[in-house]
Amino acid sequence: MGKKSKGSRKGKKAWRANISTEDIEDFYEKSSKDALSGGSLTEVPSDSLFFVDKSRDLSVKRKIDKHREKILRVDSILQKNSFVKPVPSSNQKKPKKKQKEIQRTESSSQKDGTTDTGMVDIWDDKGEHAVKARKASKLTVIPAVEVEPPGCSYNPSSEYHQDSLAHAVADEMQKIYTKELRPAPVPLTVPGEAIEEEDMYFLDADNESDDDDQNIDEDIEKRPFKTKRVTRVVQNKRARNKEKLKKEAEVKKTKEFSKELDSLPDIINEIAKEDEEKSKRHERRVIAKQERLKSCPPRLGRHKFEPAPVQVLLSEEITGSLRKLKACCTLARDRYKSLEKRGIIVPTAKSGRK
Amino acid sequence: MPKHYRPTGKKKEGNAARYITRSQAVKYLQVSLSVFRRLCIFKGVFPRDPKKKVKGNHHTYYHMKDILFLKHEPLLEKFREMRAYEKKVKKAVSKKNKDLAERLLTRKPSYTLDMLIRERYPKFIDALRDLDDGLTMVHLFAALPAIERENIQAERIHNCRGLSLEWQAYVSRTHKLRKAFISVKGIYYQAEVEGQKITWLTPHALQQVMPQDVDYKIMLTFLEFYETLLGFVNLRLYHSINIKYPPILDPKLKALAADLYALTRYVDAKDQKDGSNNEESELRLAQLQHQLPANEPGALMHLVENTTDENEEDEETRTCKNLFNNMTFFLSREVPRESLLFVITAFGGVVSWEGDGAPFEESDQNINYQIVDRPTQSHRFISRDHIQPQWVFDCINARIILPTEDYMVGKVLPPHLSPFVDNEAEGYVPEYAETIKRLQAAARKEILPMPGGEQDDLDNAHNLLAEGIIDRTKAKEAAERKRKMTILQEQYHKELKMEMEGTQNTPTTPKESKKKDVDEETDDANLQQFADDDDNMSKVAMSRKKRRLYEAMKISQKRKKDSVDTLKTRKQNIQKSKKSSD
């Protein structure tokens, strides 16, 4: 209410005058209706409104169950069928047997004196479940631990020592000689003055060859281009000549053949000799190869095996006392070289380098 | 390629199909190169040298069958699994998921090489045959320093040391050691276990250098395999002498680096217990006590030991066991203790050393030999010999107690000869070897029975002597026997000589041999002729192949003889020069 506005009638106040009161009126109407009918339904507890039907209606239940039991065809196809064997994705062999084996080994290990650390004597059963022995290819004849020659003793006898020392020296000398006998390396710099670029073009120029070509051409031009006509007479003559030659050759051949026949024993001897030589050569090669294999392995890779130098004391190093012995302390290298020597591992650039 | 699948253009046979290069093999097995190398070492697959190298000369070739053999190895799958697992761990770590990483690390998959050893060595004897390399490697790594850079862990080195000492303890306990040779590289030993000669090399007790040109990854892989192998071999050997295998050692001795002694003590203790448990051996002990003078407890002890396993022993083991019998050694500080401990106990001696944990002191009255390696010895005991270590090695190689005069402190030692050289085969016998031989012959005349003849009833000289003490009449008999023996021995030697000279080897009585002696000189030329004729006849009878072989043998013999001659002349020259210089 309040004061009456004096201003425009288009403002808020004008609108406020036009507000509808319909919903309020509806409410009043409804509440009055509820009061007349006996209370609103929303406020009534649900127990009073609903009840559980406890009476048995079998037919309906059966219907529902039946509906539930029914299996769709889609599902029935996927179901397991005892008549159809399943197809495995991969056929792995005998998993059952493995289990059995494991059980057996377990039982056997229990029988064996299993030690505290769980170690078992693997050679105890007398070949019961022996693994099929794979025939190991004997690689080399070189023993795993090669005993040094007697000259390499810490206190060697003089003769043996000289012998071993001579071997060592020979090896060293051979190395030096091979180095010396190698083709000389390409020098990095060449003595002399540098050639200027302009001169370079004239270096390979060769005028004479051009002249020769011209001469040949001239000769061909000068030569008279004539062909003689071959007459019948000449043809006949040639034919006769040819025949004659042929006959002569035949005669010669037969003669030679008879000659060879006469010398047949000689030829047989020769062949036998050749065969013998061949077999000898073969034998020699085989033996040589075996000898080579005794000292070094076959070539197994990019790099060649290089034997380690002989560990021998120099004459002035022999002290005769174990305490003052100047011993080799690179046994690891020795072992590694031994592995390489037996062809078990491939020699590498690193191991060959000194 | 497997047979059933062959792509077009691939070869079916020949070297191209039979061999495969390493890179191809790696691709084929779908593993990394390092795994491939490990697998090859474990399985014993090695590169081959094909006749035709199809892919070129600078490749490494493997046999296709070997590669297929690797392909079926369960270990291959295990390696793959481990790699996958490592990836998991790595992922967890890089995601900063610490808990997961730790949990994963606790359950890391691991592998064992037991089955591989079984597969590669189906029988125990196979394993023994291939033990040389393994033993040497394990002994080497026992002496190496643990280096982080090369991934050599201290644990493994300790394990190697343990394994090597266990092996040594077994060998020394059962007296299986046969030869030892000190070279510049290290000390070579040879033992005979179950009829197999096993040679191994141990480094000198020096700081070992790690050369750069060695691939330690490969060495460690080999070592891994050999460690497992030696573990199983040791287990088997220990069980064979009724000792629990992983031996429990005295921690105090172990700390003092006297593991070997601890081990031997452990072994001996076990053995004595077994002996006392065994009634039969007790009975025999009682019998023996009657026969022996009672004032030698040490000898008795040894006899107890003897009874336990005498049945399995052969002649050589017995001689080895009795070599240093009843002898007591003392090692000075500067002497290589480990090797001497091993060697002396292996030949039946009793040892002590300077330092903590030693069984007895230097001042002990029972010590027979003190091993010293210094120019002069200040304080000397009269009751014992002060000798240099080489004496022990020379004694065991010669199998006799050598006179100690040459080996005294401060003396220039006689040369240390290699026992691995067969002097007869080589043809050249060094001077010192000859003297040793003479000594051996002298020793044999005293005690040992002659070879052949009545070996059975005259088994041991010690037995003989013991009998003599017990019974005078028996002793007389023994003396008579000895006389007979000497006569027989002389005869035998004569026969030997005859054989050497190339006469017929029909058995001759002494009388006949005398006659022969007279005849021999006159018939000498004739004999030569006969021998030659015989030679030719047999040559004719031989097949061509055999003849060739024979000729080749002749040539090699001649070569050997030539080399021996050169050695002899060289020696003469040296002596001459020495004389002239003197």
Side-chain angles (χ1 to χ4, degrees):
Chain A
M1 306 287 150
K3 285 177 194 174
K4 273 180 188 176
S5 60
K6 287 164 190 171
S8 166
R9 302 234 168 216
K10 274 182 179 175
K12 262 182 194 167
K13 281 170 187 167
W15 289 3
R16 217 171 259 169
N18 295 330
I19 289 171
S20 73
T21 53
E22 224 172 288
D23 49 345
I24 300 165
E25 278 163 15
D26 277 355
F27 176 75
Y28 280 125
E29 207 173 299
K30 207 183 175 185
S31 58
S32 59
K33 223 182 198 174
D34 279 347
L36 287 173
S37 66
S40 86
L41 281 175
T42 51
E43 272 158 36
V44 175
S46 55
D47 290 354
S48 59
L49 285 177
F50 307 102
F51 73 98
V52 177
D53 184 9
K54 281 180 180 169
S55 70
R56 290 207 153 182
D57 195 349
L58 278 172
S59 64
V60 173
K61 200 189 175 193
R62 211 177 290 152
K63 207 177 176 183
I64 291 166
D65 280 350
K66 203 181 171 187
H67 195 71
R68 269 188 196 153
E69 271 170 15
K70 197 184 175 188
I71 298 164
L72 291 179
R73 182 159 171 76
V74 193
D75 295 328
S76 77
I77 289 168
L78 289 175
Q79 257 180 356
K80 210 173 178 182
N81 189 347
S82 59
F83 295 109
V84 179
K85 271 187 185 173
V87 181
S89 59
S90 66
N91 38 351
Q92 287 175 335
K93 277 172 193 172
K94 305 157 204 165
K96 272 187 183 175
K97 205 176 182 183
K98 250 185 197 170
Q99 274 184 351
K100 268 184 197 170
E101 261 177 30
I102 289 162
Q103 280 174 0
R104 198 191 300 159
T105 50
E106 274 174 2
S107 62
S108 67
S109 68
Q110 279 163 7
K111 263 183 243 164
D112 297 339
T114 316
T115 51
D116 312 333
T117 50
M119 277 181 88
V120 185
D121 189 354
I122 49 172
W123 294 290
D124 208 18
D125 50 343
K126 279 89 192 166
E128 193 180 283
H129 50 92
V131 189
K132 193 182 164 194
R134 188 165 172 272
K135 201 186 170 194
S137 59
K138 193 71 187 163
L139 280 165
T140 50
V141 280
I142 303 168
V145 179
E146 284 174 288
V147 181
E148 298 263 273
C152 297
S153 159
Y154 92 101
N155 183 18
S157 69
S158 57
E159 301 94 53
Y160 277 136
H161 178 244
Q162 289 296 318
D163 212 31
S164 292
L165 209 58
H167 271 289
V169 169
D171 284 348
E172 281 302 310
M173 287 314 284
Q174 198 172 17
K175 259 185 214 167
I176 290 167
Y177 285 144
T178 46
K179 218 177 245 176
E180 276 178 2
L181 289 175
R182 244 182 251 162
V186 179
L188 290 172
T189 54
V190 184
E193 284 174 25
I195 304 162
E196 279 177 37
E197 219 169 273
E198 285 178 8
D199 297 338
M200 259 233 272
Y201 296 112
F202 303 107
L203 271 176
D204 294 327
D206 202 7
N207 298 326
E208 285 174 34
S209 61
D210 287 6
D211 291 344
D212 285 344
D213 286 346
Q214 281 175 1
N215 285 340
I216 290 164
D217 289 344
E218 278 166 19
D219 284 347
I220 290 168
E221 280 167 18
K222 276 178 191 173
R223 211 181 285 154
F225 195 73
K226 268 192 227 163
T227 47
K228 256 186 193 171
R229 198 182 164 84
V230 183
T231 59
R232 196 21 63 84
V233 179
V234 174
Q235 270 182 353
N236 286 346
K237 206 177 182 181
R238 276 185 191 168
R240 252 178 281 142
N241 212 4
K242 208 178 179 182
E243 220 161 275
K244 199 181 164 191
L245 276 177
K246 213 177 181 181
K247 263 183 191 170
E248 269 177 9
E250 223 161 77
V251 167
K252 211 177 180 184
K253 212 179 177 185
T254 48
K255 246 187 193 173
E256 218 144 78
F257 190 65
S258 64
K259 218 181 190 178
E260 276 183 357
L261 268 181
D262 289 341
S263 65
L264 199 58
D266 285 348
I267 290 168
I268 289 170
N269 271 346
E270 212 169 276
I271 288 169
K273 217 182 257 175
E274 240 168 54
D275 277 354
E276 202 176 346
E277 226 160 74
K278 248 186 208 168
S279 69
K280 259 188 188 172
R281 197 167 52 203
H282 177 71
E283 230 167 77
R284 212 163 42 223
R285 274 189 186 157
V286 168
I287 289 168
K289 198 184 175 190
Q290 278 172 354
E291 286 288 318
R292 230 180 307 131
L293 281 181
K294 264 181 207 168
S295 60
C296 71
R299 182 75 172 258
L300 290 175
R302 191 185 290 269
H303 299 282
K304 215 173 161 187
F305 168 72
E306 275 179 30
V310 184
Q311 290 289 341
V312 63
L313 290 174
L314 299 178
S315 298
E316 64 265 21
E317 281 173 348
I318 297 174
T319 52
S321 162
L322 203 54
R323 181 171 51 91
K324 284 185 267 177
L325 170 66
K326 193 189 156 200
C328 138
C329 52
T330 54
L331 202 62
R333 181 190 287 144
D334 172 63
R335 282 289 83 203
Y336 194 73
K337 283 279 174 197
S338 165
L339 289 174
E340 279 182 356
K341 193 175 180 184
R342 280 176 284 152
I344 291 172
I345 55 177
V346 182
T348 53
K350 200 176 153 198
S351 71
R353 194 182 56 204
K354 278 282 120 64
Chain B
M1 290 291 142
K3 251 180 196 169
H4 58 271
Y5 173 67
R6 178 164 53 87
T8 48
K10 284 274 192 249
K11 289 282 196 261
K12 202 200 287 188
E13 51 192 24
N15 278 329
R18 230 172 290 144
Y19 293 98
I20 185 173
T21 62
R22 193 181 66 179
S23 47
Q24 275 177 327
V26 165
K27 226 178 251 173
Y28 181 68
L29 292 177
Q30 300 189 358
V31 288
S32 65
L33 183 59
S34 61
V35 168
F36 176 73
R37 284 171 126 179
R38 283 170 75 92
L39 213 59
C40 280
I41 290 170
F42 288 150
K43 290 284 274 184
V45 167
F46 307 124
R48 304 288 189 97
D49 181 34
K51 241 181 199 171
K52 282 180 200 161
K53 297 188 171 178
V54 181
K55 288 277 173 180
N57 206 13
H58 53 275
H59 283 290
T60 306
Y61 290 86
Y62 286 86
H63 203 273
M64 195 61 221
K65 271 189 179 171
D66 286 345
I67 298 301
L68 288 177
F69 179 57
L70 286 186
K71 199 187 163 199
H72 291 289
E73 174 58 42
L75 210 58
L76 183 70
E77 206 51 47
K78 197 86 200 176
F79 279 138
R80 287 202 187 114
E81 196 184 308
M82 281 167 72
R83 184 156 169 268
Y85 201 84
E86 252 164 47
K87 272 187 183 169
K88 267 187 202 172
V89 175
K90 209 175 169 190
K91 191 176 173 186
V93 168
S94 56
K95 284 200 167 181
K96 310 246 163 86
N97 197 347
K98 223 176 186 181
D99 293 344
L100 182 63
E102 267 172 18
R103 199 172 67 239
L104 284 173
L105 279 174
T106 53
R107 290 191 289 151
K108 229 174 170 181
S110 64
Y111 61 93
T112 54
L113 300 174
D114 305 2
M115 276 320 287
L116 276 183
I117 285 169
R118 181 67 206 256
E119 184 187 281
R120 277 178 73 174
Y121 308 109
K123 283 173 198 154
F124 182 56
I125 216 102
D126 299 323
L128 282 181
R129 247 173 235 150
D130 210 13
L131 205 60
D132 291 10
D133 202 13
L135 271 176
T136 310
M137 197 77 101
V138 167
H139 274 91
L140 165 67
F141 270 86
L144 282 187
I147 292 178
E148 199 69 19
R149 176 168 45 90
E150 306 285 6
N151 206 14
I152 303 173
Q153 283 142 5
E155 284 168 37
R156 294 191 70 183
I157 284 176
H158 283 309
N159 186 28
C160 283
R161 193 171 153 72
L163 283 171
S164 62
L165 289 175
E166 278 158 24
W167 165 261
Q168 285 185 9
Y170 170 79
V171 169
S172 71
R173 167 68 196 85
T174 51
H175 311 282
K176 297 255 157 98
L177 191 66
R178 294 288 172 269
K179 291 170 182 174
F181 172 51
I182 312 172
S183 83
V184 183
K185 241 182 216 172
I187 304 174
Y188 288 93
Y189 296 105
Q190 191 174 63
E192 200 176 334
V193 181
E194 301 203 356
Q196 295 299 321
K197 277 185 179 149
I198 298 166
T199 315
W200 73 96
L201 172 63
T202 63
H204 283 293
L206 283 174
Q207 176 72 33
Q208 285 287 317
V209 178
M210 311 285 282
Q212 285 298 310
D213 49 0
V214 174
D215 192 344
Y216 288 96
K217 244 187 196 172
I218 288 177
M219 296 285 270
L220 283 171
T221 314
F222 273 106
L223 183 72
E224 199 178 341
F225 183 75
Y226 289 140
E227 271 178 280
T228 328
L229 173 63
L230 193 57
F232 280 117
V233 168
N234 277 351
L235 174 87
R236 168 106 180 168
L237 292 174
Y238 272 61
H239 280 195
S240 72
I241 53 171
N242 292 325
I243 296 174
K244 258 191 192 169
Y245 172 54
I248 303 137
L249 301 184
D250 190 351
K252 204 173 118 197
L253 280 173
K254 209 173 179 182
L256 292 166
D259 307 24
L260 186 60
Y261 173 65
L263 253 173
T264 47
R265 225 173 60 166
Y266 168 82
V267 170
D268 281 346
K270 265 279 147 45
D271 214 58
Q272 280 169 28
K273 227 187 268 170
D274 287 352
S276 60
N277 288 343
N278 200 340
E279 283 183 13
E280 195 184 285
S281 69
E282 252 183 0
L283 215 144
R284 282 185 80 177
L285 178 75
Q287 284 175 354
L288 285 161
Q289 264 172 334
H290 276 290
Q291 292 177 10
L292 269 168
N295 58 354
E296 280 185 31
L300 213 66
M301 237 23 264
H302 277 283
L303 274 166
V304 177
E305 279 180 22
N306 291 356
T307 53
T308 52
D309 47 11
E310 194 143 36
N311 332 346
E312 312 140 28
E313 280 175 3
D314 51 343
E315 184 80 20
E316 209 171 3
T317 311
R318 230 168 291 146
T319 56
C320 285
K321 186 194 281 182
N322 293 328
L323 184 68
F324 290 147
N325 210 352
N326 297 339
M327 289 187 194
T328 314
F329 293 81
F330 188 83
L331 310 180
S332 273
R333 190 166 39 81
E334 70 279 1
V335 166
R337 189 208 294 171
E338 289 225 329
S339 69
L340 279 170
L341 256 177
F342 168 50
V343 167
I344 292 170
T345 47
F347 283 83
V350 181
V351 205
S352 177
W353 61 90
E354 209 171 315
D356 296 331
F360 46 83
E361 291 294 304
E362 191 179 356
S363 54
D364 197 308
Q365 287 302 311
N366 291 326
I367 293 170
N368 305 104
Y369 299 99
Q370 182 162 359
I371 298 174
V372 174
D373 194 2
R374 49 183 93 167
T376 50
Q377 174 76 5
S378 52
H379 179 69
R380 293 198 188 203
F381 292 87
I382 306 160
S383 61
R384 61 182 84 153
D385 290 334
H386 291 80
I387 45 173
Q388 298 190 42
Q390 195 192 317
W391 181 80
V392 176
F393 288 92
D394 283 353
C395 274
I396 65 162
N397 289 334
R399 296 284 151 71
I400 49 163
I401 303 297
L402 293 170
T404 51
E405 287 96 58
D406 295 340
Y407 295 92
M408 286 295 188
V409 178
K411 286 227 173 161
V412 175
L413 290 169
H416 178 58
L417 300 168
S418 169
F420 292 96
V421 179
D422 190 0
N423 280 327
E424 264 90 66
E426 208 75 8
Y428 174 69
V429 184
E431 202 181 338
Y432 191 62
E434 269 170 10
T435 59
I436 285 177
K437 221 178 202 177
R438 236 172 286 134
L439 286 168
Q440 273 173 335
R444 215 178 299 132
K445 250 175 216 164
E446 271 178 24
I447 30 175
L448 282 184
M450 55 159 287
E454 307 109 330
Q455 208 161 17
D456 298 335
D457 47 354
L458 303 177
D459 210 329
N460 208 325
H462 283 301
N463 283 350
L464 241 178
L465 288 175
E467 278 171 18
I469 294 161
I470 297 156
D471 203 332
R472 274 291 162 96
T473 52
K474 271 189 182 175
K476 271 180 191 168
E477 273 180 25
E480 260 179 272
R481 271 183 194 163
K482 251 189 193 172
R483 217 172 298 140
K484 269 184 197 169
M485 255 167 50
T486 46
I487 291 165
L488 280 169
Q489 202 164 10
E490 274 175 17
Q491 187 187 333
Y492 179 78
H493 277 297
K494 263 179 197 167
E495 275 178 28
L496 267 183
K497 252 185 206 170
M498 304 272 274
E499 269 182 36
M500 294 281 274
E501 282 161 11
T503 55
Q504 309 98 313
N505 48 1
T506 50
T508 51
T509 56
K511 280 178 193 172
E512 275 176 338
S513 67
K514 265 181 197 170
K515 271 185 191 173
K516 271 261 167 79
D517 279 344
V518 181
D519 293 342
E520 227 165 64
E521 283 158 26
T522 55
D523 287 352
D524 222 18
N526 261 344
L527 272 175
Q528 187 63 34
Q529 184 65 36
F530 273 131
D532 280 0
D533 283 353
D534 217 34
D535 213 29
N536 284 337
M537 280 298 286
S538 54
K539 238 188 200 178
V540 167
M542 271 189 275
S543 73
R544 180 184 290 176
K545 205 172 174 186
K546 276 188 181 167
R547 204 187 310 146
R548 291 255 172 72
L549 193 73
Y550 180 73
E551 275 161 13
M553 269 166 59
K554 275 274 169 83
I555 288 166
S556 70
Q557 275 172 1
K558 205 198 160 199
R559 227 177 261 160
K560 235 175 219 174
K561 206 184 162 200
D562 287 347
S563 68
V564 168
D565 285 345
T566 53
L567 274 177
K568 272 180 184 163
T569 51
R570 202 176 279 159
K571 187 180 159 191
Q572 279 172 359
N573 288 339
I574 287 168
Q575 279 175 348
K576 264 183 199 170
S577 63
K578 263 186 191 170
K579 268 180 194 170
S580 61
S581 66
D582 288 342

